[in-house]
Amino acid sequence: MRYELLVFDWDGTLIDSAGAIVWCIQSACRDLGLPVPDDARASHVIGLGLQDALAYAIPGLAPSQYGSVVERYRHHFLARDPQIPLFPGTETMLTGLRTRGHVLAIATGKSRAGLARALDNTGLRPLFASSRCADQCTPKPAPDMLLELMAELGTKETNTLMIGDTVHDLQMAAHAGVPAVAVSYGAHPKADLDALAPLACLQSVGELTRWLTRNA
């Protein structure tokens, strides 16, 4: 085993939520009469902390309006959340990695309450040793989530691997000195991910599972 600790992003990496997130961002803007970001702009913010996400998705949005946008976003997302599926093969992959002896963790732009709800909806909570969310520490692309997880779980940069679907995941890993693998089936285009030189850029959970089996 080369990497004792495997840290997964959540949205767009393990669960097929990127499209729902984009739709909910756009719907919140429509509700409030704000400029509606296109798909590319809305998907770019997936994984970021709240302030960074809103500042990019809706340029010029006054901080006093953040609460209204968040309220409308949550209204739409909570209605869809229970039906958002894991990517096919995700649970089997994670169970196999745990059985093999890897320690699994999550680093996500979700809130703690949002991740707790998602883990309960999917039944995956028992597979993960720990997690960090955007409202617990400095969010991606800062290294804090990975640094805190490594400190808590007793691992070092050389035996930790980050797996994610956005440039924010890869930048966080680079800032923490942790190697990373990208998946191109989530929020960000493959070309953007490849530009940050991950160890690999996989196109399906099946490809990711095979890569981890051979290399992790």
Side-chain angles (χ1 to χ4, degrees), residues 188-205:
H188 286 188
K190 185 176 187 300
D192 293 352
L193 300 169
D194 284 335
L196 293 175
L199 296 179
C201 188
L202 295 318
Q203 300 182 60
S204 68
V205 171

Side-chain angles (χ1 to χ4, degrees), residues 118-139:
L119 288 171
D120 289 340
N121 288 341
T122 60
L124 295 185
R125 184 186 295 275
L127 296 176
F128 294 99
S130 189
S131 59
R132 287 296 183 278
C133 299
D135 56 356
Q136 287 183 283
C137 59
T138 306

Side-chain angles (χ1 to χ4, degrees), residues 56-152:
Y56 184 89
I58 315 167
L61 182 69
S64 61
Q65 294 180 285
Y66 285 4
S68 298
V69 177
V70 170
E71 187 279 325
R72 296 313 300 163
Y73 172 84
R74 287 177 175 160
H75 167 80
H76 291 292
F77 192 81
L78 287 172
R80 299 178 66 130
D81 197 14
Q83 288 77 45
I84 297 174
L86 295 168
F87 286 108
T90 293
E91 185 170 4
T92 299
M93 174 186 68
L94 295 173
T95 301
L97 293 169
R98 270 291 303 272
T99 300
R100 188 181 176 188
H102 294 284
V103 177
L104 308 184
I106 296 169
T108 176
K110 299 182 87 66
S111 67
R112 171 54 58 192
L115 179 62
R117 189 172 59 249
L119 288 171
D120 289 340
N121 288 341
T122 60
L124 295 185
R125 184 186 295 275
L127 296 176
F128 294 99
S130 189
S131 59
R132 287 296 183 278
C133 299
D135 56 356
Q136 287 183 283
C137 59
T138 306
K140 305 170 187 178
D144 298 49
M145 291 185 184
L146 286 174
L147 296 178
E148 290 190 13
L149 286 168
M150 288 188 289
E152 176 186 345

Side-chain angles (χ1 to χ4, degrees), residues 156-170:
K156 298 180 179 180
E157 295 87 347
T158 52
N159 61 353
T160 299
L161 181 68
M162 178 68 205
I163 302 102
D165 69 309
T166 71
V167 297
H168 317 308
D169 298 312
L170 302 184

Side-chain angles (χ1 to χ4, degrees), residues 12-88:
T13 300
L14 299 178
I15 195 165
D16 191 6
S17 55
I21 292 171
V22 167
W23 184 87
C24 291
I25 292 171
Q26 294 169 334
S27 296
C29 292
R30 291 189 190 98
D31 290 350
L32 298 169
L34 296 170
V36 177
D38 61 21
D39 289 356
R41 180 167 285 273
S43 65
H44 180 80
V45 307
I46 294 173
L48 291 176
L50 176 63
Q51 289 190 344
D52 291 338
L54 291 178
Y56 184 89
I58 315 167
L61 182 69
S64 61
Q65 294 180 285
Y66 285 4
S68 298
V69 177
V70 170
E71 187 279 325
R72 296 313 300 163
Y73 172 84
R74 287 177 175 160
H75 167 80
H76 291 292
F77 192 81
L78 287 172
R80 299 178 66 130
D81 197 14
Q83 288 77 45
I84 297 174
L86 295 168
F87 286 108

